[in-house]
Amino acid sequence: MTLGYYPGCTLKSHARNLEDSAIEALKVLGVETVELERWNCCGAVYSLADDDLIHQLAPVRDLIRAKDMGLDKVMTLCSMCYNTLARANLLMRNDEAKRKTLNDFMEEESDYAGEVEVIHLLQFLKNDIGWDKLKAAVKVPLKDLNLSPYYGCTLTRPLEVSIDEAVSPTIFKEFIEALGGTYIHSDHSAECCSSYQMISNPEAAIEAASKVVRSAEDQGADALALSCPLCEYNLGKRQVDILKKHDDLKPLPTFYFSQLLAVALGVDPLICRFELNPTASLELLEEKGVVEKVSA
Amino acid sequence: MPIIISDSQVVRDFVQKVEEISGEKFSKCMQCGTCSGICPMGAEMQLSPRHTVLMTKFGQKDRLLDSNTVWLCASCHSCLVRCPRGLDLPKVMEAIRQITLRTNENYLEPFEIPDELLEDLPPIAMVSCFRKHTA
Ligand code: SF4
Ligand code: SF4
């Protein structure tokens, strides 16, 4: 089986661990990813201004690439790319006047009316592979790992692009359980980690992010599982700043969901690029016997 | 503290402009405060999300543009999914941001981002932040 794939900018730089692990894991499941030709940055956030069509061009061009390649579906890994592409797709499907303006403006491109479906890898695993088949393919069950999923904002909001039931999603729980891990509920699994505010308003951002870490820790999580490189930056990379402000919190490892998928499917941990995660993440997997000890 | 609104402070064009950019009608809002309760950045905002809708309805342009509220909004959409009236507050926040940004005024100056942060910042952090906070 082949699957059209949109990577997005961050997966080619800071989040190779998200991309490489996902592609290898999909190979184990018999799925070859086909990267979109000439893809461009999606713009990272969907334009919320009704009169701003210029920022819709970037995501729509990506969708046109997918259509031109004859794909009926395009899979994303980054939650923000998923959200931006899925919303732009709905705009092209549902708003006749804007669709015409955008298509007319891009006269060099094929006309587009939302024909391609934008999906996130978690949806593909649930709907196209199926949890039972995934369970059967697991070689290294993530037993003894208490994992709290972090949906953040863009996988489930707004409702029309939610990858699951928006207010109480369970897709990430089902995923963790299919891999043999223990699901840990957190009240903050879909609360905002502060997103881009970590650059502009770091103090308020650290407070918002600390609540996510605290909630997961209070429920007994060993680690957070996430799908967004900006969430990973705020909750993983910048965790040192969270811990400085909140010295009662302990370090909480973070993983991309695709890294967990890959190690559970027996992919070589070197491919999962754990060196890009905060160090405690790999140590946790070694301690739980999920990967063999490689760190000194 | 009571807020006194005199006719001279009401900027009617502003109400119209926010409605036009956001595509939202403020008359939907019943001032229940659900949005303020759920907002992850609410504690640091000078005007709560509920207040922001009220002040917009009353054309309080200066109060809104002087407040930090729209610059703290992270567009998380939590308020939208919980608003009993379905008001798209993230779009209202965006419209008010746009009114400032379209005068070519930045909220964030990119060159002021400390060098030590730049190396680790993922592209989506920068792209999203510049989209929201620069002209
Ligand atoms: S939740 Fe909706 S109706 Fe209630 S105050 Fe906020 S915007 Fe108004
Ligand atoms: S979208 Fe903005 S105003 Fe609404 S809850 Fe999130 S941060 Fe608060």
Side-chain angles (χ1 to χ4, degrees), chain A residues 46 48 82-84 86-87 90 153-164 166, chain B residues 75-78 80-81 88 90:
Chain A
Y46 179 73
L48 298 175
Y82 164 74
N83 193 277
T84 306
R87 293 189 79 177
L90 289 184
C153 306
T154 47
L155 287 182
T156 60
R157 290 190 293 271
L159 302 184
E160 60 272 23
V161 294
S162 180
I163 64 163
D164 196 13
Chain B
S75 303
C76 76
H77 288 71
S78 294
L80 167 66
V81 296
D88 198 328

Side-chain angles (χ1 to χ4, degrees), chain B residues 47-108:
Chain B
L47 283 174
S48 71
R50 175 187 68 82
H51 247 106
T52 300
V53 186
L54 188 68
M55 292 294 130
T56 309
K57 208 162 153 178
F58 289 152
Q60 297 297 290
K61 181 176 179 181
D62 292 343
R63 276 186 222 266
L64 286 159
L65 298 194
D66 289 346
S67 135
N68 66 1
T69 299
V70 298
W71 306 109
L72 275 169
C73 166
S75 303
C76 76
H77 288 71
S78 294
C79 50
L80 167 66
V81 296
R82 289 189 176 76
C83 172
R85 290 293 179 92
L87 184 90
D88 198 328
L89 191 49
K91 286 186 120 188
V92 175
M93 296 281 181
E94 179 86 354
I96 302 172
R97 274 191 298 272
Q98 286 297 324
I99 287 172
T100 299
L101 297 175
R102 289 177 190 183
T103 62
N104 221 7
E105 199 182 308
N106 282 349
Y107 172 70
L108 172 87

Side-chain angles (χ1 to χ4, degrees), chain A:
Chain A
M1 192 195 306
T2 57
L3 177 64
Y5 163 56
Y6 172 81
C9 315
T10 305
L11 277 77
K12 297 295 181 190
S13 56
H14 293 58
R16 294 305 306 218
N17 41 353
L18 173 55
E19 174 172 62
D20 294 355
S21 53
I23 289 176
E24 281 306 305
L26 282 167
K27 277 186 198 155
V28 176
L29 294 169
V31 181
E32 274 303 319
T33 45
V34 183
E35 190 171 309
L36 292 195
E37 288 158 10
R38 292 168 55 222
W39 59 265
N40 51 256
C41 171
C42 66
V45 283
Y46 179 73
S47 177
L48 298 175
D50 257 22
D51 60 354
D52 168 28
L53 284 186
I54 201 79
H55 287 105
Q56 305 294 0
L57 294 174
V60 173
R61 274 191 213 279
D62 287 319
L63 298 166
I64 293 172
R65 301 284 169 265
K67 180 181 167 181
D68 286 349
M69 287 168 73
L71 300 167
D72 57 354
K73 240 182 226 173
V74 61
M75 183 276 286
T76 54
L77 295 167
C78 163
S79 312
M80 288 180 86
C81 299
Y82 164 74
N83 193 277
T84 306
L85 293 173
R87 293 189 79 177
N89 204 31
L90 289 184
L91 178 83
M92 293 306 273
R93 240 179 237 178
N94 303 330
D95 191 321
E96 202 183 325
K98 288 183 179 156
R99 173 168 69 231
K100 181 167 179 344
T101 310
L102 287 162
N103 277 329
D104 288 351
F105 183 83
M106 295 183 281
E107 56 180 353
E108 74 287 7
E109 307 277 10
S110 317
D111 272 2
Y112 187 72
E115 294 90 339
V116 175
E117 197 191 344
V118 180
I119 58 164
H120 184 266
L121 177 57
L122 282 171
Q123 289 173 300
F124 179 79
L125 293 173
K126 178 177 179 165
N127 302 328
D128 296 73
I129 302 286
W131 299 134
D132 286 342
K133 193 171 159 204
L134 179 61
K135 228 179 260 178
V138 167
K139 293 200 186 81
V140 189
L142 305 181
K143 61 177 169 43
D144 306 328
L145 259 185
N146 294 325
L147 296 165
S148 188
Y150 182 63
Y151 292 91
C153 306
T154 47
L155 287 182
T156 60
R157 290 190 293 271
L159 302 184
E160 60 272 23
V161 294
S162 180
I163 64 163
D164 196 13
E165 204 278 302
V167 178
S168 323
T170 54
I171 189 168
F172 229 136
K173 171 181 188 281
E174 293 155 16
F175 168 76
I176 288 169
E177 289 175 348
L179 302 183
T182 304
Y183 160 77
I184 300 290
H185 170 81
S186 155
D187 290 337
H188 276 68
S189 68
E191 302 291 318
C192 181
C193 69
S194 79
S195 188
Y196 48 81
Q197 297 292 2
M198 196 57 96
I199 303 179
S200 306
N201 291 295
E203 286 197 9
I206 282 167
E207 280 317 296
S210 73
K211 289 182 184 147
V212 175
V213 173
R214 183 177 302 283
S215 173
E217 241 174 59
D218 283 354
Q219 298 302 316
D222 296 327
L224 284 175
L226 37 79
S227 144
C228 170
L230 183 47
C231 302
E232 163 58 31
Y233 176 74
N234 290 345
L235 300 168
K237 187 98 12 223
R238 297 296 293 275
Q239 206 182 96
V240 280
D241 298 308
I242 299 174
L243 299 182
K244 259 186 233 154
K245 284 279 295 280
H246 295 270
D247 56 11
D248 58 320
L249 291 172
K250 297 189 302 290
L252 184 68
T254 52
F255 296 105
Y256 284 118
F257 76 105
S258 56
Q259 292 178 296
L260 296 168
L261 174 69
V263 287
L265 293 176
V267 170
D268 183 344
L270 284 176
I271 291 174
C272 301
R273 309 284 298 260
F274 287 107
E275 74 278 10
L276 298 175
N277 296 53
T279 38
S281 305
L282 180 59
E283 282 164 9
L284 175 67
L285 292 184
E286 290 169 346
E287 187 192 307
K288 300 281 179 181
V290 176
V291 302
E292 270 176 42
K293 204 165 175 66
V294 284
S295 57

Side-chain angles (χ1 to χ4, degrees), chain B residues 28-35 50 53 83-85 87 89:
Chain B
K28 272 188 194 168
C29 173
M30 61 179 181
Q31 288 290 300
C32 67
T34 305
C35 47
R50 175 187 68 82
V53 186
C83 172
R85 290 293 179 92
L87 184 90
L89 191 49

